[in-house]
Amino acid sequence: GIDDIHRDSMEVYKRIFKQTNQLLERNLKILARNVDTTRFGKNVLPIVIVNPSPWRRKTYFRVIVEIPSNWKNFVILDVKGNRVSRQLIKKEGTKVEMIIFPSRNIPPLGYSTFYILPQFQGDNSSYYKPSLKVGKNWMENEFIKVKINSDGTFDLIDKINQKEYRNMGYFKIEPDRGDTYDYSHVREPSIIETKGRPARITREVKGSLFARF
């Protein structure tokens, strides 16, 4: 009955994930409605980003927003009026998908508010200017360099600590005769490994802030 038990468990997990996501979405909307977003007046599009982790986070965020059709260009500011880096990923009509990279940390178990404006009204002194460079099969900034090899593995150079890590990120499949709980060695296993096999490398996104292969 192990397979039947697992199938039943997957159905239970699906219901749990669905219900918790509904609760999360509903309560995040309640939180966002109670945030004061009038810092730059009414002709702005506020974005509330929530950090559910118990530590500060400084990372990029993917957002999808509807930009008014009469806005020829726009900028993003934080609550103190500092300009925030952004990179356009896709634009379909007035719907814009982009990556934003705040210069300040998002507080633990808290939120930060950002504002999309049709013109620049803030302080440009702390504006983070991206330094990402992207090639056919590599990308690098001032901290790291990543090169993707012909078999899909990648080499990583840590510029800060001056360390190199090579041929990472490959898959290895080795059979065993056990079950979910016990491993049982196969005497003459047939091992499948992606390392050393040709791979197709595709660059999906290229920009000065964010890249994806």
Side-chain angles (χ1 to χ4, degrees), residues 3 5 9 11 20 22 35 42 47-48 52 54 59 93 100 103 106 112 118 128 165 168-169 189 191 198 210:
D3 290 341
I5 292 172
S9 298
E11 291 301 320
T20 53
Q22 289 174 344
V35 174
K42 296 182 178 181
I47 303 173
V48 179
T59 183
I100 64 174
S103 58
I106 310 298
S112 292
Y128 172 74
Y165 307 90
M168 300 194 299
I191 299 175
F210 177 83

Side-chain angles (χ1 to χ4, degrees), residues 22-53:
Q22 289 174 344
L23 286 171
L24 178 63
E25 183 178 356
R26 185 178 68 187
N27 285 282
L28 285 177
K29 288 180 178 179
I30 294 174
L31 173 65
R33 283 198 298 266
N34 286 276
V35 174
D36 182 7
T37 59
T38 61
R39 173 72 171 81
F40 295 99
K42 296 182 178 181
N43 190 30
V44 299
L45 296 176
I47 303 173
V48 179
I49 295 179
V50 178
N51 176 16
S53 305

Side-chain angles (χ1 to χ4, degrees), residues 3 10 21-22 29 34 62 64-65 68 73 90 108 111 125 127-128 142 146 165 167 176 191 207-208:
D3 290 341
M10 291 305 297
N21 285 332
Q22 289 174 344
K29 288 180 178 179
N34 286 276
R62 173 179 170 270
I64 300 176
V65 294
N73 197 10
K90 184 168 60 176
Y111 64 88
S125 60
Y127 177 46
Y128 172 74
E142 62 267 39
V146 177
Y165 307 90
N167 300 316
D176 75 88
I191 299 175
S208 61

Side-chain angles (χ1 to χ4, degrees), residues 15-204:
R15 291 197 297 270
I16 292 173
F17 290 147
K18 181 179 179 180
Q19 292 173 4
T20 53
N21 285 332
Q22 289 174 344
L23 286 171
L24 178 63
E25 183 178 356
R26 185 178 68 187
N27 285 282
L28 285 177
K29 288 180 178 179
I30 294 174
L31 173 65
R33 283 198 298 266
N34 286 276
V35 174
D36 182 7
T37 59
T38 61
R39 173 72 171 81
F40 295 99
K42 296 182 178 181
N43 190 30
V44 299
L45 296 176
I47 303 173
V48 179
I49 295 179
V50 178
N51 176 16
S53 305
W55 54 79
R56 293 180 179 274
R57 296 184 65 181
K58 183 178 181 181
T59 183
Y60 69 86
F61 302 94
R62 173 179 170 270
V63 298
I64 300 176
V65 294
E66 292 277 352
I67 300 294
S69 57
N70 61 338
W71 288 17
K72 294 183 179 181
N73 197 10
F74 62 88
V75 293
I76 303 176
L77 307 181
D78 64 18
V79 71
K80 293 188 177 181
N82 298 307
R83 190 172 177 180
V84 176
S85 301
R86 67 174 175 89
Q87 177 183 320
L88 183 67
I89 301 297
K90 184 168 60 176
K91 188 176 187 297
E92 295 179 352
T94 59
K95 182 179 290 186
V96 173
E97 178 183 352
M98 59 184 169
I99 298 293
I100 64 174
F101 188 84
S103 58
R104 289 182 169 82
N105 293 323
I106 310 298
L109 301 175
Y111 64 88
S112 292
T113 308
F114 302 92
Y115 302 85
I116 304 177
L117 291 83
Q119 67 276 334
F120 182 51
Q121 298 178 356
D123 178 16
N124 199 30
S125 60
S126 62
Y127 177 46
Y128 172 74
K129 298 175 178 60
S131 61
L132 181 65
K133 299 178 181 178
V134 184
K136 184 179 180 180
N137 66 330
W138 59 270
M139 55 186 172
E140 71 173 308
N141 58 18
E142 62 267 39
F143 304 109
I144 64 172
K145 179 177 181 178
V146 177
K147 175 180 174 291
I148 303 175
N149 302 313
S150 59
D151 60 357
T153 62
F154 64 91
D155 301 334
L156 186 147
I157 299 176
D158 182 345
K159 297 181 179 181
I160 303 299
N161 298 301
Q162 297 183 346
K163 291 185 177 181
E164 295 185 18
Y165 307 90
R166 300 196 176 276
N167 300 316
M168 300 194 299
Y170 64 91
F171 294 93
K172 183 177 182 180
I173 302 174
E174 183 176 352
D176 75 88
R177 298 183 299 171
D179 54 30
T180 305
Y181 309 101
D182 302 296
Y183 172 79
S184 180
H185 177 69
V186 177
R187 185 169 297 177
E188 295 181 1
S190 176
I191 299 175
I192 300 175
E193 189 173 279
T194 60
K195 187 178 180 180
R197 296 171 178 263
R200 184 175 64 184
I201 302 169
T202 304
R203 188 178 62 201
E204 295 183 339

